[in-house]
Amino acid sequence: MKIMVIGGGGREHAIIKKLKENKEIEKIYALPGNGGIAQDAECVAVGATDIKGAVDFAKSNNIDFCVVTPDDPLVLGMADALREIGVPCFGPSKDAAIIEGSKVFSKNLMKKYGIPTAEYEVFSDMESALKYAQTCPIPTVIKADGLALGKGVIIAMTREEAVDAIHSMMEDKIFGESGSNVVIEEFLEGPEISVLSFTDGKTVVPMISSMDHKRALDNDMGLNTGGMGTVAPNPYYTPDVAKECMDKIFLPTINAMNAEGRSFKGCLYFGLMLTKNGPKVIEYNCRFGDPETQVVLPLLESDLFTIMKAVENGELTEDLVKFSSKHACCVVMASEGYPTKYDKGFEITVDDGVDACIYVAGAALKDGKVVTSGGRVLGVTATADSLEEAIAKSYKAVEGVHFDNAFYRKDIGQRALKATN
Ligand code: AMP
Ligand code: GLY
């Protein structure tokens, strides 16, 4: 079996490492991969959104299966293009990926099918949006309709901030055409829970829950980032909450997508907020989360490739997906200054005996050395019998990973730990 994985972040590294456990797989190509992934797969210089490049590569290398990981190629239809040439894929069709690709679509879907989410209005002209912002409850949340590298959400704590956000999205186009339409929604409060799920469009099997840490600095201060660390499971996701989510959110979403003729096959990510009125959907993603994957897959005891094939073949069953009862913690090591300005090109070294898994996100190979090449450089994941031990173990491992200008949060998992105790 020859497999190709599209993408080049820490999440893709975690997927590749997990796939390698399957002995049926002889070869894994990463398009484009990165300098760290290069230790586990053959990296190919084809960009993650280059559909023609991926199709040509699959044809000329007799690829048997493809995992399309990031949101943008999925929303652009890469899985469809590969299936058209007979390459089975893990990843939704373009028609289904719209659940992440358009917030207007996903909000309207939830409203139509009674799936709990924040109240909202959609605007396609700035004047109406500005008028609404004069009277809507504050704080309020303004979201660009389309993909915006995970940055298209502005939480306005004052009316002035709301007005500024509308101007910057709809007039200054800070998120490009993604901001042509905006959703303005109710500000919700409560702990956030990430639940990734496998679904073949009929059966939905949630993976172990997790908690992301989106802000750059300790105590959830600083700018929003792509994620500075994660823990799994999420203590707020109790069996009662899980049941409520299954009945009111997960199954209704799968059914709604089928009813719309947009059957979803792949990993459907539910970004949830546990409000005092129960769990509500903050966002859907049409893919594995990053860095959630870096704590979820290390706890997966089943074979990932078997599950992925079952999803593609419409044969997913619950017994294919088993998680361990352990805990995982992933600390992201970033470049100082991320998410705004940072230097790169520093050599990354790892001490002997580091007892953790290192998932590389932003690194390149230069003169035979692995050097930093991005804001989020790598994630250090440890697993243990308790959350406390997993946190301690991953921070201990972090001390054995070195590069200049390294920066990381010191409090990953502390909120979860408090909730546990
Ligand atoms: P998103 O890109 O949709 O995940 O949003 C980024 C972050 O903004 C989320 O993880 C939440 O912390 C926050 N957020 C999004 N929507 C809301 C909302 N309606 N109320 C409060 N916070 C929100
Ligand atoms: N960690 C959030 C995301 O992957 O969108």
Side-chain angles (χ1 to χ4, degrees):
M1 277 274 176
K2 286 199 220 169
I3 312 260
M4 146 176 138
V5 175
I6 308 296
R11 164 186 61 190
E12 286 78 357
H13 199 184
I15 289 172
I16 287 168
K17 275 191 189 277
K18 191 75 196 167
L19 285 172
K20 280 178 75 179
E21 293 174 7
N22 183 304
K23 297 300 165 223
E24 222 186 316
I25 299 174
E26 305 139 47
K27 180 95 193 169
I28 303 182
Y29 296 97
L31 283 64
N34 67 44
I37 289 177
Q39 298 181 345
D40 291 291
E42 184 171 328
C43 296
V44 180
V46 170
T49 53
D50 181 355
I51 295 184
K52 184 176 180 306
V55 165
D56 289 347
F57 184 83
K59 271 192 205 155
S60 47
N61 292 276
N62 298 316
I63 296 297
D64 298 297
F65 195 91
C66 177
V67 181
V68 186
T69 316
D71 46 7
D72 25 4
L74 288 165
V75 169
L76 290 168
M78 188 183 281
D80 309 72
L82 288 162
R83 288 187 182 112
E84 254 163 50
I85 59 156
V87 177
C89 288
F90 181 85
S93 65
K94 178 179 179 169
D95 282 350
I98 192 174
I99 197 165
E100 175 170 3
S102 166
K103 295 230 193 272
V104 173
F105 172 86
S106 65
K107 293 298 291 188
N108 289 342
L109 183 87
M110 287 186 269
K111 186 187 258 180
K112 183 169 170 189
Y113 294 92
I115 298 165
T117 189
E119 297 291 331
Y120 71 102
E121 299 284 338
V122 174
F123 298 93
S124 55
D125 78 285
M126 195 170 72
E127 289 318 310
S128 323
L130 289 171
K131 194 162 162 225
Y132 179 75
Q134 292 311 322
T135 55
C136 71
I138 294 291
T140 189
V141 183
I142 299 157
K143 300 187 170 183
D145 176 36
L147 294 180
L149 299 168
K151 298 192 181 78
V153 174
I154 296 177
I155 300 189
M157 299 310 290
T158 63
R159 227 168 269 293
E160 292 66 44
E161 281 176 23
V163 167
D164 285 350
I166 293 166
H167 276 289
S168 59
M169 283 189 201
M170 301 189 84
E171 192 172 52
D172 307 339
K173 302 264 178 186
I174 56 166
F175 304 122
E177 286 313 309
S178 287
S180 300
N181 295 309
V182 299
V183 170
I184 303 185
E185 72 176 30
E186 177 196 5
F187 176 75
L188 297 177
E189 282 176 284
E192 287 185 56
I193 306 172
S194 304
V195 180
L196 322 185
S197 70
F198 292 110
T199 177
D200 61 357
K202 293 175 291 196
T203 304
V204 56
V205 185
M207 298 180 221
I208 198 164
S209 61
S210 53
M211 184 189 283
D212 194 3
H213 298 67
K214 287 197 171 143
R215 300 297 194 97
L217 308 176
D218 285 5
N219 301 314
D220 297 320
M221 308 292 278
L223 293 172
N224 245 322
T225 71
M228 294 301 291
T230 34
V231 293
N234 184 320
Y236 291 102
Y237 194 67
T238 61
D240 285 346
V241 172
K243 178 162 190 331
E244 192 174 355
C245 288
M246 181 54 89
D247 295 345
K248 294 188 179 158
I249 295 173
F250 305 162
L251 285 171
T253 301
I254 301 303
N255 294 338
M257 291 298 277
N258 287 335
E260 295 293 312
R262 296 175 182 273
S263 182
F264 189 104
K265 287 205 298 189
C267 173
L268 183 54
Y269 168 129
F270 299 91
L272 307 167
M273 194 174 271
L274 191 57
T275 72
K276 60 180 190 311
N277 299 317
K280 295 194 180 187
V281 177
I282 288 282
E283 61 162 349
Y284 292 113
N285 291 327
C286 65
R287 51 166 176 87
F288 283 95
D290 191 336
E292 284 91 341
T293 306
Q294 291 91 313
V295 284
V296 168
L297 290 186
L299 296 174
L300 178 65
E301 289 178 336
S302 318
D303 179 55
L304 178 61
F305 188 45
T306 305
I307 300 170
M308 288 183 160
K309 282 187 296 185
V311 165
E312 173 65 352
N313 297 333
E315 294 166 353
L316 181 67
T317 51
E318 226 170 282
D319 58 297
L320 286 178
V321 185
K322 288 276 173 285
F323 279 90
S324 105
S325 54
K326 290 191 170 195
H327 295 254
C329 174
C330 172
V331 178
V332 169
M333 296 180 73
S335 306
E336 176 85 58
Y338 171 75
T340 40
K341 256 179 59 191
Y342 50 85
D343 294 326
K344 47 196 182 182
F346 304 113
E347 186 181 1
I348 305 169
T349 59
V350 180
D351 294 346
D352 287 339
V354 163
D355 186 17
C357 222
I358 295 175
Y359 299 122
V360 178
L365 284 174
K366 196 176 155 207
D367 308 327
K369 290 177 177 161
V370 184
V371 300
T372 63
S373 70
R376 287 191 300 168
V377 175
L378 51 86
V380 179
T381 298
T383 58
D385 289 332
S386 71
L387 175 60
E388 201 163 9
E389 284 171 87
I391 295 169
K393 220 171 135 183
S394 52
Y395 275 104
K396 173 106 187 54
V398 162
E399 286 170 21
V401 180
H402 313 279
F403 56 90
D404 285 354
N405 281 8
F407 168 80
Y408 55 91
R409 272 179 66 162
K410 310 288 186 296
D411 66 339
I412 301 302
Q414 289 307 321
R415 199 150 30 93
L417 203 56
K418 248 185 231 151
T420 313
N421 293 335

